[in-house]
Amino acid sequence: MADSRLQFVRMIAARAGALVMGVVASVIIARALPPEARGTYYMAVTVGTAAMALGHLSIEQAQTALWSDKGRRASLEGNSVPLGLTVGAGAALAAMAAAVVFQGHGNMPDLWLLATACAGVPLGVGVLYSSNIAVLRDRPHVAGLAPLAGAVVQCTCLVALGLTGHLTVHTVVVVWSVSFGVSLVVLVGRGGVTVSRPRLGLAKATCTKGLRLHPGSAASYLLLRSDVFLLNALAGPREVGIYTLAVTLAELSRIGVDAFAQVTLPRQFDHDMEGSAAVAARMVRLMVILGAVSVVTTVIAVSALITPVYGHAYAEAAALVAWLVPGILLLSAGRPVATFLLRFRSARFVVLPSLLALGVNIGLNTMLIPLWGAAGCAIASTAAYATLVVLQVAYFVRISGIPWRHLLPTSADTSRITSSLRRGRGDLDVGRSR
């Protein structure tokens, strides 16, 4: 296996670069567009991402569940791009049909803007499937480079549009769609995934498996983004513009945690169930430590810089970030547990927690948005994220027999991290049991 420390550093660099580009892009957009216009742009983009999330059929989860069968790996890889483009095209058409039905309701953007966003959906689904394969092949640096390339192109285009006076809501959405094409080209061109003639039988089996898991995946997405639709309908585009900026900034806290999760993902498949559970527990403890440091850093930085960088119109976003980051940390740190549950290939372990958390999210948002606007939305989201992770941990503890307290970091875990970094070790002992 490649040096895990080197891969981790490369992933951190790629993630950080992509997020820096994303922050620069968000500054350009915020400076060019008032909160209401930014909210309109973000709603169009949210419709596009919703089409991807609700229409990708959870095939990337099926890929992960089937990856333990080594005989299928080459075919799963070869199918990823053509299957992604095909499924994505169907998702885009379904999204446009829904947009026609709901046009004129809930402050939705116009059809032309939505069509522009949906044009990027096939490319986005292709990136999703291919990135997952790259990570499963133990090539996470390519999976990290792809979004970085897309973000660089996106940021460069926005700067050019801003300098020439052509930066509008519509051109921002066009650039967003194009960035997915750049990411897909990088994934294929840098060897993250190989494109080959589709194996229709395996494609059918993958879709069938994905569909069994898809209610949970769809619920997970709605858990993350239904708040935007509800906020737009109940409070309007201005609140959406401020809230979604806060979400973008809060997700900066995930850089280290997500990179660590991707680098160490293959290790969960190198063991039997008992070994995989021990690795998952160890990963959670380390990710909680990384996430806690990231959360504190993010809150302090955002509080100090939000007004000078984005302007007084977005000052409210700083408080929203503080409400959002605890839930985002919980979601990130719980990823190894969710991956462990996927190995059982049971929809119950994936679907039920997501559906229950979604119910909490919708219920709390419906109550709190009319009272507190975007702040109520942030509080409801964090409560729902916590619900999801608690339910997943409960399943994990019952199945694995590992006590829940073994998922909490200790001083020994912190000492191992710091000593490993001081000695420059390439292995953080992820596979070591408690």
Side-chain angles (χ1 to χ4, degrees):
M1 181 179 290
D3 185 328
S4 62
R5 182 172 179 268
L6 176 60
Q7 289 200 47
F8 179 63
V9 170
R10 293 169 74 178
M11 275 296 297
I12 283 286
R15 288 269 180 180
L19 283 168
V20 167
M21 291 294 101
V23 170
V24 172
S26 70
V27 172
I28 296 170
I29 294 170
R31 287 294 185 178
L33 303 175
E36 184 173 356
R38 188 186 188 281
T40 299
Y41 140 72
Y42 204 91
M43 277 309 304
V45 168
T46 300
V47 170
T49 55
M52 295 180 207
L54 300 179
H56 65 57
L57 308 183
S58 295
I59 285 173
E60 84 289 352
Q61 292 193 42
Q63 290 171 333
T64 301
L66 296 171
W67 195 253
S68 56
D69 185 349
K70 295 183 179 180
R72 290 180 166 181
R73 290 183 178 181
S75 298
L76 286 169
E77 178 182 354
N79 279 356
S80 59
V81 173
L83 192 57
L85 295 176
T86 302
V87 172
L93 292 173
M96 284 307 302
V100 171
V101 172
F102 289 101
Q103 190 63 29
H105 302 282
N107 298 314
M108 293 298 292
D110 64 74
L111 289 176
W112 177 239
L113 191 64
L114 294 177
T116 304
C118 287
V121 171
L123 298 170
V125 176
V127 169
L128 176 65
Y129 296 174
S130 301
S131 296
N132 189 58
I133 290 293
V135 171
L136 291 170
R137 291 183 61 209
D138 203 17
R139 295 181 64 81
H141 57 286
V142 180
L145 182 62
L148 174 59
V152 169
V153 170
Q154 183 183 31
C155 191
T156 303
C157 290
L158 290 175
V159 170
L161 290 168
L163 292 175
T164 58
H166 292 92
L167 199 154
T168 64
V169 171
H170 185 261
T171 56
V172 171
V173 176
V174 169
V175 172
W176 176 82
S177 295
V178 169
S179 67
F180 288 111
V182 174
S183 297
L184 187 58
V185 169
V186 171
L187 279 164
V188 176
R190 295 301 296 268
V193 64
T194 302
V195 181
S196 62
R197 183 178 178 180
R199 300 294 182 90
L200 298 181
L202 182 58
K204 180 180 178 181
T206 307
C207 290
T208 301
K209 179 63 180 176
L211 283 170
R212 291 181 57 202
L213 299 170
H214 195 53
S217 178
S220 295
Y221 169 77
L222 291 173
L223 172 64
L224 295 173
R225 291 295 178 261
S226 62
D227 53 357
V228 176
F229 289 99
L230 290 169
L231 186 62
N232 187 58
L234 297 174
R238 182 187 178 278
E239 292 288 297
V240 171
I242 296 172
Y243 177 75
T244 53
L245 175 62
V247 171
T248 299
L249 296 176
E251 288 182 346
L252 291 173
S253 62
R254 299 176 59 171
I255 296 175
V257 181
D258 283 354
F260 183 77
Q262 286 196 314
V263 168
T264 55
L265 175 63
R267 297 193 179 194
Q268 288 193 256
F269 295 91
D270 291 339
H271 302 271
D272 57 17
M273 288 298 180
E274 182 178 355
S276 178
V279 170
R282 173 74 172 144
M283 288 171 62
V284 169
R285 296 198 300 272
L286 296 178
M287 289 165 74
V288 168
I289 295 172
L290 290 172
V293 174
S294 296
V295 162
V296 173
T297 303
T298 300
V299 171
I300 293 173
V302 169
S303 298
L305 299 175
I306 187 71
T307 301
V309 175
Y310 289 94
H312 289 283
Y314 292 95
E316 300 169 42
L320 302 182
V321 169
W323 283 113
L324 285 166
V325 287
I328 290 174
L329 168 61
L330 285 172
L331 280 182
S332 298
R335 284 180 62 181
V337 169
T339 299
F340 174 81
L341 295 176
L342 270 177
R343 290 193 61 163
F344 288 86
R345 304 184 182 184
S346 171
R348 177 166 59 96
F349 297 142
V350 178
V351 175
L352 186 58
S354 297
L355 288 175
L356 291 174
L358 175 60
V360 171
N361 195 23
I362 293 174
L364 288 178
N365 270 299
T366 303
M367 289 188 296
L368 298 181
I369 289 174
L371 295 175
W372 299 324
C377 191
I379 294 169
S381 296
T382 289
Y385 301 162
T387 300
L388 174 63
V389 175
V390 167
L391 292 171
Q392 289 174 334
V393 167
Y395 274 128
F396 175 81
V397 168
R398 190 176 74 182
I399 294 169
S400 68
I402 295 177
W404 65 267
R405 64 181 179 275
H406 285 190
L407 301 177
L408 301 177
T410 64
S411 58
D413 293 308
T414 305
S415 298
R416 286 176 190 139
I417 292 177
T418 55
S419 63
S420 294
L421 293 175
R422 282 199 304 267
R423 295 196 301 268
R425 288 179 54 184
D427 188 354
L428 295 177
D429 296 327
V430 174
R432 183 176 176 180
S433 60
R434 193 178 182 95

